Amino acid sequence: MKKRWIALGVLLMLMATSYWAFQENKYRLPGLLSDWRDPVQPNRMIAWQQGPVTAPNGERRPNIILIVVDDLGYNDISLNGGGVAGGIVRTPNIDALAREGAHFTTAYAANATCSPSRAAMMTGRYPTRFGFEFTAVPVQFAENLAHGDGVGPLRAIFHKDRITPDIPDYPDMGVPASEVTIAELVKQAGYHTLHIGKWHLGEAPALQPQAQGFDESLAILAGGAMFLPEDDAQAVNAKLPWDPIDRFLWANLRHAVTFNGGKRFHPQGHMTDYFADEAIKAIEANRNRPFFLYLAFNAPHTPLQATRADYDRLSGIKDHKTRVYGAMIAQMDRRIGDVMAKLKQLGIDDNTLVLFTSDNGGAWYTGIPDLNAPYRGWKATFFEGGTRTPFFLRWPAHIAPGTRRADMTGHLDIFATIAAAAGAALPRDRVIDSENILAGPAKRAALYWRSGDYRAVRAGDWKLQVTKRPEKARLYNLATDPTEQHDLAAIEPARVAELRAMIAAQNRDMAKPIWPGLIEGPVRIDVPLNAPWRAGQDYIYWTN
């Protein structure tokens, strides 16, 4: 009998150990499954398709390069008197895109998070028109993917009741194949279409870049990747222990890319350097024919990883995570400069339209304050800090240096503007929300945002945000209060009602989400995620 009790005790201990080992490592399961299905292969050379050996005679249509960076804060560039760490980190090459072309000072992201914003850029439509309302999250891991359990009394919410059998598999969560992408449009007009960088618009074969109009694609298909292997001798890493998603990223992301939907392989060196190097090679290969290049850097999105050389150049920044973050931005700025230098070297600079933007504002979970100064809010809020984005167009043959425009534009207008430059006709079988801003100021009366129960509209100088958690309407006059400090909802009830009616009318034309928002988490408006809770702090709840 004694031996049986001993055996039972050993069995229970083994079961308990196994349970705790599973709990400790459950974050790693997606990465392990990916490694099993598609092991990361060694680096291999990319052979970009070669265009004509000589340039064609006569007038040539412009080349077009769309540069999208990831989670860049409004205050992360030095153009507006800012820069990381109080201006220690300068961004001369990004700033030059604005100074040498058009700087749109009232430009907005189509959403406050990565994936829906990119969907709008690619289609010229509010992503909610075709059900792309939320960033995709694998259902089986959604419960563990919130940015923490909450802060203070504000708890994260997991909507288990929204899990139904008709939710698409994670790889099928993307821009539907029925949508017309800008790559498909300009390809029909005779352009060679190239994608380099982050995709995040569907991982199933039918939703990957090469199935959505791109002739060639060197891609991070998911929302992120490691910039370098964690143990690389040249890597300087900054982990964010207050953010469970950061923990998830370090455990599951790989230093890997895929070419035209093939097997994953290691890029050469730091991801930012790799994408810039390959962009330069792709431009060289296509110098004698019109091309469209969508260059989507995944910096400075987490995980935060800089090269040792870039980190060492910023010895004046004492905070480690800020120094790594700043080094990532300095590196990206330098490499954008290298891409621009290549255009000049090849003699195609004057006839190349370059568009630059970020997918949304800087992220609260980095723990770095003032990324979006002077604006309030972060990524995952519809405050100006989450949606007001750098937006520059440079085309020496057509846009005068030093042009400044204040019309309300941004991501939505990328589609029609590129189409116009390429001489491509817009689709006529669907609503297109995009306007050609090369032809003059955008004429829209309002811009709208929606993510679950969180809605916003800007009409003229007035902006209304409506939230369910907390149950609140916030009204701001951006002409007199551009940083949204003074909520006028209580003294302007008629204007609140008018703007609510506009939101309701807009929503009637939107589609049901293709997949549900399963996670709602609190985001404090004025402090980063690692700041201590204080009673009275303003907040919203963001879905997915």
Side-chain angles (χ1 to χ4, degrees), residues 405-417:
R405 294 254 301 266
D407 44 312
M408 193 164 54
T409 182
H411 290 172
L412 278 175
D413 294 334
I414 287 172
F415 185 90
T417 301

Side-chain angles (χ1 to χ4, degrees), residues 490-511:
I491 62 173
E492 291 270 5
R495 197 175 299 275
V496 169
E498 176 189 355
L499 295 175
R500 278 186 182 272
M502 290 178 65
I503 291 174
Q506 166 81 356
N507 283 332
R508 283 195 289 271
D509 292 332
M510 300 299 107

